[in-house]
Amino acid sequence: MVYPGAVHSRFEHSLGVYWLAGDAVQKLHFFQGSELGIDHFDMQTVKLAGLLHDIGHGPFSHLFEREFLPRVHNGAKWSHEEMSVKMIDYIVDEHNIEIDPSGLKRVKEMILASSETKLSNSTREKRFLYDIVANGRNGIDVDKFDYIIRDSRACGLGCNFDFHRLMEMMRVMDGEICYRSKDYLTIHKLFATRADLFRTVYTHAKIKAIELMVVDALVSANGDLNISSYINDPAEYWKLDDTILKTIETAPDQEEELKKSRELIRRIRRRDLYRFCNEYAVPKDKLEHFKNVTPADIICSQKASGVDLKEEEVAVSNVKIDLTRGMNNPLQSIKFFKDYDSEEKISISDEQVSHLLPGCCQDMIVRVYSKKPELVEAVSEAFENFQLKTYGIKTQVHETPEKKKRRR
């Protein structure tokens, strides 16, 4: 809706990860197959994990998982990785697919490798295979390779990160995929490119405004359509996709419960979005103990100005952008080797890397929106008051333009 060229699907991404996963394990087999014992079973399971790793995503992917479900399930945790595992079992049973149970178990464990789910002891054998699709150890995986290149191209951003170099130079040492020490800048560029995508695309101010409206529309419609219940039954869950907005739009007019949701979707179609008021970056020394800002925080900071703001008229987006390891340098989680004759894996300390690399690895940006155009000025002032009260300074770079304040 903001980048019209970015119309590729989750299916295309899954095919890309399937291909890259197979390519990665093939390269390891070519260079180290005899010592690693990589066989056809390994290649098949890694490729299947790549193909099916995202099959549990709901409508609008991460928005459904991180924004919608916590609102309707009182913050209860749910992950698309665990849903992917349930969907795989359902597909195999529903379509009577003949597949080796041990292979299916490994595929599901590979999908869960980057989640908080604890892996079984069986994963200790050929542990490196579990880092190819979804790498919970250091964040370097073919899933990122595909979506970074694909999204950069689709959004016309360009991309100077070369994942082929990493795939050619990687080696398994002591059960872990390691990289040449001289390639640490290439690895850092992977994480930096991902962070750029989050800043310019995934958390673009207009995109977040639309996401906030979509979430409000889904939450409002949940009572009537019972959308959240679909996650309890894979036989129903597969029917749930982005067309849920069209379902809401085309519902009979007598469905009064859906009236608010329909109006929000119509506003998106007409580009009558929640109005972005302003943003600020949380100071470095406040990042560690930062708590998400809420509409209530903004409302409590308003001054007596003749406008009495309500929580439901304000939207807040707390945007965290990091290099996959929060405030930590991702290079600290990665093992390297000096050259191909080396038999020892090493770590690279902060003192050994280029001084041009950033010293801070995380940004936290707080954005505030007014749901009504006539309230932009009042919300902006309350937001500034909140910053002064919290930090003693207005940390935003620009003030809200006067013309935006006056717009109706």
Side-chain angles (χ1 to χ4, degrees):
M1 294 177 176
V2 174
Y3 287 88
V7 293
H8 53 289
S9 68
R10 179 69 59 181
F11 176 63
E12 291 171 73
H13 166 63
S14 297
L15 288 181
V17 177
Y18 164 82
W19 173 261
L20 290 177
D23 195 26
V25 75
Q26 283 279 8
K27 282 180 166 55
L28 290 176
H29 175 66
F30 179 79
F31 288 111
Q32 295 178 274
S34 57
E35 62 179 287
L36 298 178
I38 296 174
D39 54 27
H40 177 72
F41 178 76
D42 297 327
M43 295 181 184
Q44 185 183 52
T45 52
V46 171
K47 290 167 72 175
L48 275 175
L51 183 68
L52 302 172
H53 76 289
D54 272 348
I55 202 168
H57 264 304
F60 308 103
S61 302
H62 296 289
L63 178 151
F64 183 82
E65 176 178 355
R66 298 173 185 172
E67 307 293 339
F68 168 69
L69 285 179
R71 292 244 324 247
V72 296
H73 283 168
N74 297 319
K77 286 192 175 182
W78 178 92
S79 75
H80 74 274
E81 291 93 352
E82 292 180 4
M83 194 68 208
S84 292
V85 167
K86 293 178 182 178
M87 290 298 297
I88 290 171
D89 287 334
Y90 167 72
I91 291 169
V92 170
D93 293 340
E94 178 70 12
H95 300 284
N96 300 311
I97 297 174
E98 294 184 7
I99 186 170
D100 178 27
S102 63
L104 195 64
K105 179 175 181 289
R106 184 190 272 193
V107 168
K108 292 188 288 188
E109 288 177 338
M110 287 178 177
I111 291 172
L112 294 173
S114 67
S115 70
E116 297 178 359
T117 304
K118 189 174 182 179
L119 298 178
S120 67
N121 290 333
S122 64
T123 62
R124 293 175 182 173
E125 182 184 359
K126 299 180 183 178
R127 178 66 177 85
F128 63 91
L129 292 174
Y130 296 77
D131 295 337
I132 292 176
V133 173
N135 192 335
R137 283 205 273 198
N138 59 41
I140 303 177
D141 51 49
V142 295
D143 177 39
K144 287 186 182 66
F145 293 172
D146 183 85
Y147 78 67
I148 287 174
I149 301 297
R150 190 178 301 278
D151 292 351
S152 296
R153 180 184 62 201
C155 296
L157 300 178
C159 180
N160 60 0
F161 163 67
D162 183 13
F163 70 85
H164 296 97
R165 180 180 180 87
L166 292 183
M167 291 180 66
E168 290 288 346
M169 304 302 177
M170 63 184 180
R171 295 292 181 272
V172 175
M173 302 178 71
D174 192 24
E176 183 174 3
I177 298 177
C178 305
Y179 302 88
R180 283 196 313 174
S181 56
K182 64 169 60 176
D183 288 326
Y184 80 87
L185 285 175
T186 302
I187 291 174
H188 191 276
K189 193 175 290 184
L190 161 68
F191 297 122
T193 304
R194 175 183 173 274
D196 284 342
L197 272 171
F198 268 87
R199 186 181 303 280
T200 57
V201 178
Y202 308 144
T203 64
H204 185 288
K206 280 282 194 296
I207 288 174
K208 294 305 294 185
I210 294 171
E211 284 191 359
L212 290 166
M213 296 179 76
V214 170
V215 172
D216 282 350
L218 293 179
V219 170
S220 181
N222 191 56
D224 188 67
L225 300 181
N226 211 9
I227 302 167
S228 59
S229 68
Y230 284 55
I231 64 174
N232 301 319
D233 184 5
E236 294 298 317
Y237 183 73
W238 74 266
K239 304 173 185 176
L240 197 59
D241 60 19
D242 293 3
T243 59
I244 187 66
L245 293 190
K246 186 63 69 175
T247 299
I248 295 171
E249 281 183 293
T250 57
D253 289 339
Q254 59 264 31
E255 300 287 353
E256 188 64 28
E257 295 87 349
L258 296 181
K259 185 175 181 180
K260 180 181 176 182
S261 297
R262 276 201 301 269
E263 181 54 34
L264 282 168
I265 297 170
R266 284 172 184 161
R267 284 185 61 181
I268 293 174
R269 304 292 188 204
R270 296 195 301 260
R271 211 65 171 183
D272 178 18
L273 308 179
Y274 290 169
R275 300 299 174 92
F276 171 65
C277 295
N278 221 318
E279 68 177 37
Y280 74 88
V282 177
K284 287 182 185 179
D285 59 335
K286 306 293 184 182
L287 284 173
E288 187 174 354
H289 303 291
F290 173 79
K291 291 183 179 179
N292 280 349
V293 179
T294 67
D297 294 325
I298 307 302
I299 299 306
C300 291
S301 301
Q302 62 181 320
K303 291 182 178 179
S305 59
V307 178
D308 186 20
L309 293 173
K310 300 180 178 62
E311 282 190 46
E312 59 268 23
E313 297 170 333
V314 178
V316 180
S317 176
N318 296 276
V319 176
K320 184 176 77 170
I321 302 173
D322 59 24
L323 300 180
T324 76
R325 282 296 177 267
M327 296 178 66
N328 299 318
N329 185 341
L331 294 178
Q332 296 174 349
S333 305
I334 300 163
K335 298 300 180 182
F336 298 87
F337 57 88
K338 290 183 178 179
D339 54 55
Y340 296 122
D341 295 327
S342 302
E343 296 182 0
E344 180 186 5
K345 58 184 183 181
I346 62 173
S347 299
I348 295 180
S349 65
D350 289 345
E351 292 76 22
Q352 294 173 289
V353 302
S354 168
H355 298 309
L356 294 176
L357 296 184
C360 183
C361 299
Q362 177 178 305
D363 266 351
M364 180 62 72
I365 301 169
V366 179
R367 293 198 183 111
V368 171
Y369 297 80
S370 170
K371 296 186 179 182
K372 298 179 179 178
E374 65 270 17
L375 297 177
V376 169
E377 183 173 12
V379 173
S380 299
E381 289 178 354
F383 186 34
E384 290 181 4
N385 293 336
F386 169 76
Q387 294 172 70
L388 288 169
K389 183 173 66 175
T390 307
Y391 302 118
I393 55 173
K394 290 193 299 183
T395 55
Q396 60 201 29
V397 177
H398 304 290
E399 294 185 0
T400 306
E402 289 297 324
K403 63 179 181 180
K404 182 179 285 190
K405 291 180 180 180
R406 295 193 299 268
R407 192 176 297 164
R408 295 290 184 265

